[in-house]
Amino acid sequence: MNERIEKNYEREIRTTAVDFSFGELLNLHKEKEIVIRPEYQRLFRWSTEQRSRLIESILMGLPIPPIFLIENDGGVLELIDGLQRTSSVLQFLDNEAIEQPELTLNGCDFLTTLNGKTFRTIDVASRLKIKRSPIRATIINKSGDAFVKYELFKRLNTGGSLLSAQEIRNCSSRMIDGGTEFYELIQRLSKDRNFSESTSRLPDTSIEQRANEELVLRFFALINSRDTFKGNIEEWLDGYMESILFKKVKFDHNEMEKLFTKTFYLINNKLKDQAFTRFNSHGEATGRLAPAYFEAVCASFVSDYSIISNIKPCTLLSRLKNAFESENFKNATGPGANTIAKLHKRIDVVRRHLRGESDA
């Protein structure tokens, strides 16, 4: 009984509530005692008008929602929620401190005299009010359980409109010891030349939301954890990544990187950007990258690498078109495609076609 109580106690979140002024946050950021990481949350998704209205709200004395920080092993605080609010005010106070252009206010509806002003051109009283205005910060202490910290970040952000599912994964992975290594692997492979070229039909807006990084994770989940797929893509990817971060499964970073790079080298050299897309009646590649096609082709190339290596690109492309046009493939990618049976079916159809076999 006592052991159970002790175990539950160890998993409690230990937090400290602090009121920081924005001036203090700026100084802490300059001294590198608070870390803001724009590389895994897009720094300014807010428009100039949204940022300006936040400054207007502060000057009007309206309460600002709290921010959340996590204490790392060195005692440095890392911002995990409230990036838009914090970075907007810091940009206004000292744009050079966060390497952004000067913020000129625009779109203020109540204090209209603010429009067109910068921090240097507003009156002294307003400058001081912004710098001295408090914001409540909840600090998650470093002694807390890693899994609880990880789950907390997910719950803080899941359902919000600011972060995509992959951005939440990227951020939450940093809550776990060793998670940065996995996060950096995903980032690095998403910039691999062959991968980037073969997935170039991803829209820029999707890449902005880290869809390319999600495809890297999807590749690993497909190769290593296909049978855990239960129909919900986000839950499947979350579960697979968590099994790696919490060391429930073996994941050899070096071996997986080699497998990824050699697979996409072959895909790009054989099929270019036609690997994961539909074809029109004239046999021309059309439209965006289709995730179900991505799964089928990647799994086939990994399974039959040596066979596919010896097939001419023109022959392989012709076979791929036939695979995508087959009734069996269409049945496995249409309505209700997110089942493990249909996942296996569409992989099997593409494998057979690429090898020159019947998929009957």
Side-chain angles (χ1 to χ4, degrees), residues 65-238:
I67 60 175
F68 284 78
L69 304 111
I70 190 164
E71 183 183 19
N72 68 24
D73 290 336
V76 173
L77 302 176
E78 184 167 341
L79 185 67
I80 62 168
D81 187 69
L83 177 71
Q84 304 291 328
R85 297 187 292 281
T86 305
S87 54
S88 294
V89 178
L90 297 192
Q91 183 194 15
F92 188 64
L93 293 178
D94 187 349
N95 60 290
E96 293 181 356
I98 55 172
E99 300 177 350
Q100 290 293 315
E102 187 175 39
L103 176 59
T104 300
L105 301 179
N106 181 39
C108 297
D109 298 319
F110 293 95
L111 305 179
T112 55
T113 55
L114 291 174
N115 293 320
K117 297 289 182 66
T118 66
F119 184 72
R120 289 180 294 180
T121 59
I122 61 173
D123 60 89
V124 173
S126 294
R127 288 187 216 169
L128 293 176
K129 183 168 185 178
I130 295 169
K131 292 179 74 172
R132 293 171 179 172
S133 290
I135 185 168
R136 173 57 56 97
T138 297
I139 300 172
I140 306 165
N141 302 119
K142 63 181 178 182
S143 57
D145 180 88
F147 180 76
V148 176
K149 292 177 184 177
Y150 174 86
E151 280 296 320
L152 176 62
F153 182 85
K154 283 175 59 180
R155 295 182 189 193
L156 282 171
N157 288 279
T158 300
S161 61
L162 292 177
L163 298 181
S164 68
Q166 186 58 36
E167 285 174 311
I168 292 173
R169 293 185 195 106
N170 290 348
C171 298
S172 54
S173 67
R174 303 183 72 93
M175 306 297 105
I176 310 302
D177 288 341
T180 298
E181 181 186 7
F182 184 72
Y183 161 68
E184 289 177 348
L185 174 66
I186 296 292
Q187 265 205 326
R188 184 167 65 253
L189 293 181
S190 72
K191 297 172 184 175
D192 175 81
R193 182 181 65 82
N194 289 300
F195 172 78
S196 297
E197 290 178 3
S198 61
T199 60
S200 60
R201 289 179 179 272
L202 270 178
D204 290 342
T205 52
S206 297
I207 293 175
E208 184 189 348
Q209 296 184 0
R210 308 303 172 101
N212 54 341
E213 294 177 10
E214 183 169 276
L215 286 179
V216 176
L217 178 62
R218 198 170 183 137
F219 173 86
F220 290 131
L222 178 70
I223 301 309
N224 298 319
S225 193
R226 194 179 307 169
D227 290 336
T228 64
F229 180 70
K230 295 180 181 178
N232 185 301
I233 299 295
E234 285 192 14
E235 290 181 4
W236 177 46
L237 297 180
D238 286 347

Side-chain angles (χ1 to χ4, degrees), residues 224-287:
N224 298 319
S225 193
R226 194 179 307 169
D227 290 336
T228 64
F229 180 70
K230 295 180 181 178
N232 185 301
I233 299 295
E234 285 192 14
E235 290 181 4
W236 177 46
L237 297 180
D238 286 347
Y240 177 64
M241 190 184 80
E242 288 163 14
S243 70
I244 294 171
L245 295 178
F246 291 103
K247 297 179 171 56
K248 295 178 181 178
V249 297
K250 182 181 178 181
F251 187 88
D252 188 315
H253 287 70
N254 291 331
E255 288 302 314
M256 287 297 100
E257 183 166 4
K258 289 177 184 176
L259 176 65
F260 182 93
T261 53
K262 83 168 193 175
T263 300
F264 280 94
Y265 173 83
L266 189 61
I267 290 173
N268 192 39
N269 278 269
K270 294 290 185 179
L271 300 171
K272 304 296 182 186
D273 70 340
Q274 301 178 93
F276 313 121
T277 190
R278 297 172 178 84
F279 295 87
N280 62 24
S281 58
H282 301 292
E284 300 165 334
T286 182

Side-chain angles (χ1 to χ4, degrees), residues 226 295-305 307-308 311 316 319-320 323-324 329 343-359:
R226 194 179 307 169
E295 295 164 350
V297 173
C298 287
S300 299
F301 268 68
V302 170
S303 298
D304 297 323
Y305 188 91
I307 296 172
I308 291 172
I311 301 173
L316 201 65
R319 291 177 181 178
L320 185 67
F324 290 168
F329 186 81
L343 172 62
H344 283 296
K345 181 62 178 177
R346 57 182 174 263
I347 292 171
D348 183 63
V349 170
V350 171
R351 282 190 68 190
R352 288 178 177 274
H353 272 87
L354 294 185
R355 290 183 303 203
E357 301 172 2
S358 168
D359 70 353

